Amino acid sequence: MKLNLTVLTLVLFAAVSYGLYQLSYEVQELEKDLKSLNVNIAENKESIRILKAEWTYQNRPDVLQALASKYLPLLLIAPYQVASVGEVPYPPVDPEQYSVPVPRYNPHRDYSPVDRAPTGPVQLATFTRTGSLQ
Amino acid sequence: MSEPTWLSKSPRPRISLTTTLGHKNLEDRHKPLRLDGSAKETLEQGRNRLVMAGVIFAFCFVILAGRLVGLAISGIGEDEATTADSDITLPVATEENKRAEIRDRNGVLLATTLTTASLFAEPKKVIDPKDLAAKLTTVLDDLSEATILSRLASARNFVWLKRNLTPSQQYQVNALGIPGLHFRSEEKRFYPMGALVSHVMGFTDVDNHGIAGVEKYFDAQLDGSEDNPSQDLTLSIDVRIQHALRDELSRHMSVFQAIGAAGMVMDVKTGEILGMVSLPDFDPNRPSDFSGDAKFNRITLGVYEMGSTFKTFTTAMALDSGTVGLKGGYDATEPIRKAGFRIRDDHPKKRWLSVPEIYMYSSNIGAAKMADEVGPKNHKAFLAKLGLLDKPSLEIPEIGAPILPPRWNSLETMTISFGHGLSVSPLQLSTGITAIVNGGAYINPTVVRRDDMKATPVRQVIREDTSGIMRRLMRLVVEKGTGGKAAANGYLVGGKTGTAEKAVGGRYKRDALISSFVSAFPMNDPRYVVFAMLDEPKGNAQTHGFRSAGWTAAPIIGRLISRIGPILSISPVNEESEAVQRAMFIPINSREKKLASF
């Protein structure tokens, strides 16, 4: 009986210490991970800072202006090019086309969608370069 | 067997001296030894010492075991400290002990702090200096082989080769794999926009402390302290506006061979400064490479006699105080002679001029008479209300105080009425014009974004209806007067030219001019005040040799406003339309005889 108790105590002691050590090692491993993650995050943040600075540097207005004047056929916006939505005319409607209702989608019929693009150039109802209304 | 002694009954084994002495038989050896007296004491002492030593050893082992368990459970001591620390502080590097960033009103980065690598060498550990120099120059092209060799030849253990490398340069140097080269990380203030926002930003010293511009003014906020962490700063500057302003100014500065130029764009309702440029300027990334002239902020620190732009204030004052109405006028036939001075007109009409005519033709005689009628005392009080007589307040340290005349009598009032005798900074002039066109409320200028979009007006300077008349008068100058070249189709620009001779050494220099133009747009509901100034422009063939503001400064405004109008989302109007014409109508009331030539 006395022997059993001793053996039981020893086994229990061994088991508990094994568990304790295992837990401790696990925690240490996790802390190491945390540390390396923190270092990683700090490094990445620094990289982001540098990349942001680089991005801003590459997008300096004078650089963009030089590139735009080299590759884009854009000029200064003239007043006649600015209009509010209300001033934009509706596309011209062909009465023949829209007088007969055509089903939009019918698999039994030969149907091709109508080309809805307005005919001719889009006209803005604003004034021209010379100032007269179009 | 010998007869048993009394000792044999003892439970303890005893050493019997008799047996050791007389070897009578073998069994006697196993008999307990009997100790007595001094022998027994010696043995007891030995036993005690053994026990003591055992206890001490056991104690040490227990301590060792305890420490071992402790280490196994908690890890190495230092680790413990760091983990305990990180429990209290914020999760991961959110707190960076870096100087805060500065951004423009749209969030474009203007200044940031980067950790850079600086390259240094240990000359004693360098194996082949010539090879090192040859290899290093392929990567760092701004270093010459000679300088590297001379630095490596020094007897010191530590020589800087290049400070603040870019990450790619650091990578390339590492890739060379030369022994004896090392890096040290340093903090470097970086301005991605370079010279663009230089005068507003200012710059920092090697320890990243601001020593000019907003970097100095907001040094404490940007640096932060124990109690309050560093905070980012958002300026009112818009880099797009700033760029357009700088681009136009530098172009016209070179066209007219001016020694300097300055310009600013200011929001009329909030007092925010969207653009502020002073040329020549400097790169805040390397301020030591530039002269003091480049670092001089002509907008805020420079004070100049601004010339005819002051007639705006004179006219507003006269109309507001009621000494003269729009229909009134003054005789500008003859120059005024007063106390040895002669006040004459640059564009003489030699006839009676109405108030709108005085303003649009920029008549010095008319303005002088107009101001004289108001009187020196009221004149001074009015200019003080416009903030022209005190040092203005702005969030940068480089602010110049105006230079007032020693006396302020009738003569001084006459000269100040057309902008001579009182030196103010362009910042003060623009702020004053802001008050004139926005309905009469003086608003403190600022370079920091105002998020509430409404500034609290400091004081009412002129009546609202006077402000309305002034807007139309300024429009008249661009439409029919001296500032025709400032017109930007659709944006209803109004403004006033100002040409002043520079006072050098107490007398006016005829060949050195300050030509400026102050304008606002759109005039039916002013949103922005735009100012441009050229320092000592020279005329050219295109301007027929003229250097006055109408020829040199006004075109800057015209081009600039057509550039920034769309950015500021000002919708252009048809300037010829009847509604606009009616809104901008002002009776000129000229008495000029139209058919005088017959």
Side-chain angles (χ1 to χ4, degrees):
Chain A
M1 189 61 210
K2 211 173 183 182
L3 185 81
N4 279 354
L5 201 72
T6 315
V7 168
L8 196 74
T9 314
L10 278 176
V11 167
L12 237 144
F13 184 73
V16 166
S17 13
Y18 177 79
L20 182 67
Y21 276 87
Q22 210 57 31
L23 189 71
S24 157
Y25 290 145
E26 230 166 81
V27 169
Q28 281 175 39
E29 203 59 34
L30 285 174
E31 261 166 16
K32 217 182 278 174
D33 283 357
L34 178 70
K35 214 174 163 184
S36 74
L37 279 176
N38 277 350
V39 169
N40 253 336
I41 288 170
E43 272 175 8
N44 280 330
K45 281 200 165 175
E46 188 55 43
S47 307
I48 289 169
R49 267 182 106 91
I50 291 173
L51 287 172
K52 272 186 182 165
E54 172 96 21
W55 175 252
T56 317
Y57 178 73
Q58 301 287 3
N59 283 299
R60 278 166 298 158
D62 47 336
V63 174
L64 292 186
Q65 187 183 329
L67 288 174
S69 60
K70 194 173 170 190
Y71 296 110
L72 300 175
L74 295 178
L75 297 169
L76 275 181
I77 299 173
Y80 71 89
Q81 289 172 302
V82 183
S84 64
V85 177
E87 287 174 275
V88 179
Y90 287 99
V93 179
D94 186 359
E96 237 174 70
Q97 201 170 45
Y98 290 98
S99 55
V100 186
V102 180
R104 219 178 145 64
Y105 176 70
N106 191 337
H108 303 294
R109 233 185 247 183
D110 265 345
Y111 169 72
S112 56
V114 192
D115 184 15
R116 292 236 182 162
T119 51
V122 183
Q123 302 255 318
L124 297 186
T126 60
F127 48 91
T128 59
R129 249 179 239 270
T130 51
S132 63
L133 274 166
Q134 270 181 348
Chain B
M1 285 250 357
S2 61
E3 76 271 65
T5 60
W6 62 272
L7 269 171
S8 61
K9 287 171 194 164
S10 160
R12 285 191 294 170
R14 299 271 174 160
I15 306 160
S16 168
L17 283 177
T18 51
T19 49
T20 50
L21 292 172
H23 292 278
K24 280 179 185 164
N25 53 41
L26 274 169
E27 277 138 35
D28 276 354
R29 282 192 211 164
H30 301 294
K31 277 200 172 167
L33 192 64
R34 199 192 282 194
L35 272 178
D36 281 317
S38 64
K40 190 184 172 186
E41 262 174 38
T42 317
L43 203 66
E44 282 293 313
Q45 206 178 18
R47 243 177 73 96
N48 285 347
R49 283 179 182 168
L50 205 68
V51 168
M52 272 310 289
V55 166
I56 290 170
F57 268 93
F59 182 69
C60 290
F61 274 111
V62 165
I63 287 179
L64 278 180
R67 178 77 182 129
L68 217 73
V69 170
L71 283 180
I73 289 171
S74 64
I76 309 157
E78 289 162 25
D79 230 25
E80 212 172 1
T82 53
T83 49
D85 238 13
S86 62
D87 282 344
I88 321 161
T89 50
L90 291 163
V92 218
T94 40
E95 33 85 46
E96 296 162 52
N97 292 326
K98 281 200 168 113
R99 198 175 162 87
E101 292 175 347
I102 302 178
R103 297 172 172 279
D104 89 334
R105 66 184 301 114
N106 303 316
V108 177
L109 196 64
L110 295 178
T112 184
T113 310
L114 300 179
T115 307
T116 58
S118 288
L119 180 68
F120 68 94
E122 290 176 89
K124 282 176 187 165
K125 288 188 180 166
V126 173
I127 301 160
D128 185 358
K130 273 197 176 167
D131 178 54
L132 184 149
K135 277 184 181 166
L136 209 56
T137 44
T138 59
V139 177
L140 309 170
D141 41 10
D142 52 340
L143 276 177
S144 75
E145 278 190 46
T147 48
I148 295 174
L149 284 176
S150 72
R151 279 181 201 175
L152 288 176
S154 80
R156 283 178 296 163
N157 282 326
F158 178 100
V159 282
W160 284 117
L161 288 181
K162 190 169 170 20
R163 307 289 286 270
N164 304 317
L165 270 70
T166 64
S168 65
Q169 280 176 324
Q170 187 191 7
Y171 175 79
Q172 285 170 319
V173 172
N174 269 331
L176 291 176
I178 309 170
L181 291 183
H182 304 279
F183 295 105
R184 181 172 289 182
S185 58
E186 286 186 299
E187 304 262 289
K188 164 93 174 129
R189 197 78 171 146
F190 178 61
Y191 305 91
M193 289 296 158
L196 185 59
V197 209
S198 48
H199 284 104
V200 182
M201 295 298 298
F203 51 91
T204 58
D205 59 8
V206 275
D207 298 322
N208 286 339
H209 293 299
I211 46 177
V214 290
E215 288 270 29
K216 182 172 184 186
Y217 194 91
F218 292 102
D219 200 30
Q221 183 196 324
L222 292 167
D223 255 345
S225 58
E226 291 284 316
D227 316 323
N228 35 337
S230 61
Q231 271 185 313
D232 284 2
L233 182 64
T234 306
L235 298 184
S236 64
I237 301 288
D238 185 329
V239 285
R240 301 169 299 174
I241 310 293
Q242 179 84 1
H243 169 69
L245 184 60
R246 185 168 182 267
D247 198 39
E248 291 303 333
L249 281 174
S250 60
R251 180 178 303 157
H252 285 86
M253 188 176 143
S254 62
V255 164
F256 297 115
Q257 295 165 13
I259 61 165
M264 67 185 286
V265 179
M266 196 172 159
D267 192 311
V268 160
K269 288 179 177 136
T270 63
E272 289 171 305
I273 292 168
L274 278 82
M276 184 201 274
V277 174
S278 166
L279 293 174
D281 52 11
F282 62 97
D283 186 350
N285 289 310
R286 43 191 182 93
S288 54
D289 294 0
F290 292 86
S291 66
D293 181 46
K295 286 174 197 150
F296 183 77
N297 190 342
R298 282 161 208 269
I299 287 285
T300 59
L301 193 55
V303 289
Y304 307 93
E305 293 182 312
M306 298 304 300
S308 310
T309 43
F310 258 64
K311 283 172 195 154
T312 314
F313 303 133
T314 309
T315 313
M317 168 181 68
L319 291 174
D320 201 56
S321 63
T323 52
V324 71
L326 264 184
K327 284 180 180 160
Y330 297 93
D331 182 28
T333 323
E334 290 292 317
I336 305 173
R337 284 171 205 282
K338 183 140 191 168
F341 287 90
R342 206 163 66 104
I343 297 169
R344 51 177 196 83
D345 280 356
D346 284 332
H347 320 274
K349 296 276 174 211
K350 297 203 184 293
R351 60 182 170 88
W352 182 92
L353 295 173
S354 67
V355 170
E357 280 181 315
I358 289 171
Y359 191 67
M360 71 190 267
Y361 296 132
S362 199
S363 164
N364 292 343
I365 303 166
K369 285 185 174 171
M370 209 189 292
D372 198 34
E373 203 175 349
V374 178
K377 213 172 156 189
N378 293 336
H379 190 203
K380 194 171 177 179
F382 181 77
L383 294 187
K385 267 202 293 184
L386 277 170
L388 292 167
L389 305 184
D390 303 302
K391 203 169 159 177
S393 73
L394 189 69
E395 297 90 345
I396 55 176
E398 297 89 6
I399 300 289
I403 301 172
L404 273 61
R407 298 171 306 277
W408 197 311
N409 296 326
S410 177
L411 174 68
E412 282 74 29
T413 284
M414 280 185 165
T415 57
I416 290 169
S417 75
F418 55 87
H420 285 75
L422 173 67
S423 299
V424 297
S425 61
L427 171 73
Q428 284 175 292
L429 179 81
S430 307
T431 314
I433 294 293
T434 302
I436 296 289
V437 297
N438 75 355
Y442 182 86
I443 296 166
N444 271 329
T446 179
V447 291
V448 179
R449 191 173 73 180
R450 284 196 172 130
D451 286 324
D452 46 357
M453 294 304 288
K454 269 265 164 76
T456 42
V458 179
R459 55 184 170 260
Q460 194 71 19
V461 180
I462 53 169
R463 290 195 312 270
E464 215 164 317
D465 58 325
T466 315
S467 171
I469 294 172
M470 287 315 297
R471 284 180 215 161
R472 278 177 276 166
L473 282 177
M474 286 169 81
R475 174 70 193 145
L476 188 68
V477 170
V478 173
E479 215 169 12
K480 289 170 183 158
T482 51
K485 289 193 181 297
N489 188 16
Y491 294 105
L492 278 182
V493 184
K496 182 75 190 80
T497 53
T499 314
E501 283 163 19
K502 260 173 121 174
V504 179
R507 56 175 58 236
Y508 290 109
K509 245 170 98 177
R510 291 231 63 178
D511 55 339
L513 297 181
I514 295 272
S515 64
S516 59
F517 196 95
V518 63
S519 66
F521 78 99
M523 261 335 196
N524 48 3
D525 176 26
R527 294 285 311 281
Y528 299 97
V529 160
V530 183
F531 170 84
M533 178 185 100
L534 286 174
D535 194 348
E536 296 189 19
K538 279 115 195 136
N540 59 19
Q542 266 189 331
T543 68
H544 314 292
F546 286 116
R547 301 165 297 164
S548 56
W551 287 96
T552 54
I556 305 178
I557 300 289
R559 283 192 54 100
L560 182 66
I561 289 178
S562 40
R563 263 179 92 162
I564 65 175
I567 299 175
L568 295 168
S569 60
I570 303 286
S571 59
V573 293
N574 182 7
E575 291 183 357
E576 309 291 319
S577 76
E578 209 184 324
V580 173
Q581 287 285 327
R582 199 174 293 144
M584 286 292 110
F585 174 73
I586 186 139
I588 297 176
N589 303 316
S590 178
R591 292 190 196 166
E592 186 183 11
K593 292 181 183 66
K594 290 270 163 62
L595 303 171
S597 53
F598 282 108

